[in-house]
Every structure is written in structure tokens, then in C-alpha cells.
Amino acid sequence: MKWITREKIKVDRVACPWLIQQFVDPEAEFVFLPRDTDWSKIENGIVFDVPNCELGHHDEDVSFNSILKKYNLSEPALLWLGEIVQAADSHPTNPHPAGEGLRWVAQGFSALGLSDHEILEREFVVYDALYGECKRQTTEPAKGSERVAFLETKMISLFEIASTVR
């Protein structure tokens, strides 16, 4: 399937292809179009992270979170990664502290002058590593109740929102 978004990718438009390829569509083909594209006219593919689309920003959620909800991806490590992507890509009320580092990584890759596909190729390893750490932290016994409470709150709110969308 073709997955279509804006060119000149950074945080969310790198995180989403990683999520899509890892958990939604392993055969995904990513297409990057200019910002001024008429997104409503696209019929051959799934549009994401563009204005007024289902798999875009909604309230404080970034497109990564919209994809998690749409495809019922509720693994705690992915939810936590979604918090980091949200903090790096937008201005949430309660940003995850790792978001600032991820924003710096995205800015650094953008400054290298690579094509969007080259950025995906190189930056996917960053998301593999972040996911690995999120997974480790969500599966190892917590040293306190903060991590467990955070995850339980995120899972409950994700399921509440998902049930209202249907």
C-alpha cells in the first residue's frame, strides 16, 4: 500500500513510517509530496500527517498517536514511544523529557541534506533503539509505582478515546 505525506520529513513523519512498517504494513511504500498538495484529491493510498486527515494531529495527539488508535496498537512500549514523539513534535501539556532529544536528532538529520527516503533509512535505527528502551522500561519491574501509573493512565485514556471514535 502507498502511504502518502508531506516532504521534508522530521519527527512525526519519520516516526509514522517506522510504526507503519513495523506494526501495520510491512510492505508499505512511502510517498512524499509538496506541502501545497491538495490532499483531498488523493485516492490511491493512505494519507497521513497532513492537515485535516484521519491519521493526523487531533487535539494534543500527533499522527503517531492517531495511527496507534486507528490500528488498535496498545502495547505499553508503543504508547510510551507515542508520548516521546508527541513531546518532540508538538507542545503537549505534559511533555515527556526524552522528546527534546528526539527533536534534536530530527533537526540534525534534516540538516544533513538527505532525501526523505535516506532519512527514513538512517533514522529508523533511532526508533528501533527508542522502542527497545521503551520496551525494556515497560517490562522490567518498576522501581516505583510512577511508571505503572503512567502506563495504566495512558492505556485507559487510549481505549476511552478509541471507543468514542467507532
Side-chain angles (χ1 to χ4, degrees):
M1 174 66 71
K2 284 186 182 177
W3 295 78
I4 304 162
T5 192
R6 290 179 291 128
E7 63 186 357
K8 300 185 188 336
I9 61 175
K10 287 196 182 136
V11 179
D12 209 12
R13 282 174 281 131
V14 174
C16 290
W18 176 86
L19 180 65
I20 291 163
Q21 195 164 65
Q22 293 294 318
F23 297 94
V24 178
D25 180 3
E27 302 299 318
E29 175 187 344
F30 298 102
V31 178
F32 304 102
L33 299 176
R35 176 181 286 275
D36 62 354
T37 298
D38 185 350
W39 305 107
S40 65
K41 302 245 190 237
I42 294 177
E43 296 176 2
N44 187 18
I46 299 172
V47 176
F48 68 97
D49 200 34
V50 298
N52 305 312
C53 76
E54 178 184 15
L55 300 177
H57 288 227
H58 301 285
D59 299 319
E60 283 197 352
D61 281 343
V62 292
S63 301
F64 189 93
N65 301 118
S66 294
I67 293 169
L68 289 175
K69 290 172 188 171
K70 166 86 175 175
Y71 294 96
N72 298 312
L73 300 172
S74 59
E75 179 189 351
L78 287 176
L79 297 177
W80 206 343
L81 182 53
E83 292 295 318
I84 296 169
V85 171
Q86 180 185 40
D89 197 62
S90 66
H91 303 284
T93 307
N94 216 0
H96 190 288
E100 189 62 24
L102 184 57
R103 182 183 358 259
W104 281 40
V105 167
Q107 290 292 95
F109 273 99
S110 178
L112 294 175
L114 304 169
S115 73
D116 290 329
H117 285 97
E118 290 170 325
I119 289 173
L120 287 185
E121 181 181 321
R122 287 164 176 80
E123 208 172 334
F124 272 17
V125 71
V126 171
Y127 285 91
D128 289 339
L130 279 171
Y131 173 65
E133 180 60 12
C134 289
K135 195 167 187 122
R136 186 188 69 77
Q137 291 210 22
T138 57
T139 56
E140 287 184 2
K143 293 183 179 170
S145 61
E146 286 181 22
R147 186 181 309 145
V148 173
F150 168 82
L151 293 171
E152 287 174 350
T153 302
K154 288 300 165 191
M155 287 178 70
I156 290 168
S157 64
L158 178 66
F159 289 120
E160 287 173 350
I161 292 169
S163 66
T164 62
V165 173
R166 294 179 186 176

